[in-house]
Amino acid sequence: MRDFTLQMYHDLCTTVLTKYSVVTVLDYIQNQPKNVAIFRHDVDKKPKNAFAMAKLEKSLGICSTYYFRTVPDSFDPEVILKISEMGHEIGYHYEVLDTARGDYKSAINQFEENLDRFPCEIDTICMHGNPLTPWDNRDLWSRYDFKKFGITGEAYLSLDFSKIAYFSDTGRAWHDRYSIKDITKVSPVDTTIISSTSDLIEHIPKLSCPVCIVTHPQRWNDAIVPWMTELSGQMARNIGKTGIRYLKRLNGTPR
């Protein structure tokens, strides 16, 4: 079976449900439940893919979190409302330190303006990591407090990843060899052995800690043409990311 299809995602979901209850990011931050899987989706583009994934999850009784950027490729108020009405959490996938080119005052003003654009309540946020910029959007909260904007938590900063196994499909893989910013510094398990979704499905029953599973819906396609387009594009991006990581090591810059 091809990887990164909705059928493969269905198989991942059903495997997770045999071991865990699935919760949103907000649920976990507020209640700190045990024996759970946190499902998070970073909608970088193709919101209709996110809608298809949300419908699949709803059919399985899953409520998860969808983080939308406020760029045209991602931000679709109609899709956002439909996903929210299914019972999923909607969050803001912010990148304002990048768009403000490191100007913190401009960034926080953009953050507030963009937050007001959402057609539903926003309780949690998650930074978007652009590997081509020198800024880390999470650094915005070293100077400001997101709680002053009615935000309960941030998907990286508000979770203790020393106790949660973190698996992200960044780079069209489940290890972090192609991750520049979508990483956690600690983990209770070795995630480097997970490459394909089949690997992750096989590994899930062996875990003894909560998990956070992160997808980017544009990667998941049943139709062969968008599937091949995403595959070829990601292969090229992974070559670039490998080069960026190599240069960072040469310069003594952490990851």
Side-chain angles (χ1 to χ4, degrees):
M1 182 187 298
R2 283 184 290 131
D3 203 347
F4 296 100
T5 62
L6 284 178
Q7 180 57 56
M8 183 63 81
Y9 184 66
H10 177 277
D11 293 349
L12 173 60
C13 289
T14 54
T15 298
V16 169
L17 288 171
T18 64
K19 183 176 180 66
Y20 294 107
S21 297
V22 177
V23 298
T24 66
V25 174
L26 179 63
D27 289 337
Y28 188 83
I29 292 173
Q30 288 182 325
N31 303 309
Q32 299 289 307
K34 300 182 184 299
N35 197 44
V36 295
I38 307 155
F39 273 24
R40 185 188 112 199
H41 308 288
D42 294 351
V43 188
D44 290 348
K45 56 183 178 179
K46 295 187 178 180
K48 290 183 179 179
N49 279 36
F51 180 62
M53 188 170 277
K55 287 197 298 182
L56 188 159
E57 289 175 335
K58 180 176 174 58
S59 72
L60 297 172
I62 289 173
C63 289
S64 63
T65 301
Y66 286 81
Y67 289 108
F68 286 83
R69 300 167 69 194
T70 52
V71 297
D73 282 347
S74 173
F75 195 77
D76 185 327
E78 183 178 353
V79 168
I80 289 172
L81 271 177
K82 287 181 178 179
I83 293 177
S84 176
E85 288 168 354
M86 291 182 202
H88 300 294
E89 179 193 2
I90 301 296
Y92 173 25
H93 202 30
Y94 66 98
E95 52 193 308
V96 291
L97 208 51
D98 286 341
T99 56
R101 301 188 60 78
D103 184 324
Y104 280 76
K105 186 175 180 180
S106 175
I108 199 64
N109 288 337
Q110 288 183 35
F111 179 85
E112 186 171 18
E113 291 171 2
N114 289 338
L115 201 60
D116 289 339
R117 294 176 57 192
F118 281 84
C120 56
E121 185 176 353
I122 302 298
D123 293 303
T124 69
I125 56 175
C126 176
M127 74 92 185
H128 172 65
N130 184 341
L132 300 179
T133 68
W135 302 285
D136 187 322
N137 289 292
R138 287 169 288 198
D139 291 342
L140 184 65
W141 311 119
S142 67
R143 301 194 187 184
Y144 301 99
D145 183 356
F146 53 71
K147 292 184 179 179
K148 292 184 178 179
F149 299 91
I151 301 301
T152 300
E154 206 277 354
Y156 287 101
L157 301 177
S158 302
L159 279 69
D160 182 357
F161 287 104
S162 68
K163 300 176 182 177
I164 303 169
Y166 182 85
F167 299 99
S168 170
D169 70 355
T170 295
R172 204 179 174 86
W174 292 100
H175 49 66
D176 68 354
R177 287 195 290 275
Y178 301 122
S179 298
I180 305 298
K181 295 177 180 175
D182 183 12
I183 56 174
T184 61
K185 294 181 180 179
V186 292
S187 176
V189 299
D190 179 9
T191 61
T192 62
I193 61 175
I194 309 299
S195 181
S196 67
T197 307
S198 294
D199 291 341
L200 182 57
I201 289 172
E202 183 178 348
H203 197 65
I204 288 291
K206 303 174 185 178
L207 297 173
S208 58
C209 61
V211 298
C212 180
I213 295 177
V214 179
T215 78
H216 296 77
Q218 78 267 14
R219 303 192 200 289
W220 300 79
N221 297 279
D222 284 339
I224 191 65
V225 171
W227 187 88
M228 286 295 299
T229 300
E230 178 64 27
L231 173 62
S232 58
Q234 190 61 63
M235 289 174 66
R237 290 190 292 274
N238 285 348
I239 293 172
K241 287 182 175 183
T242 300
I244 290 171
R245 292 186 68 170
Y246 176 71
L247 290 173
K248 283 179 175 288
R249 286 197 296 271
L250 285 181
N251 294 329
T253 304
R255 296 180 67 91

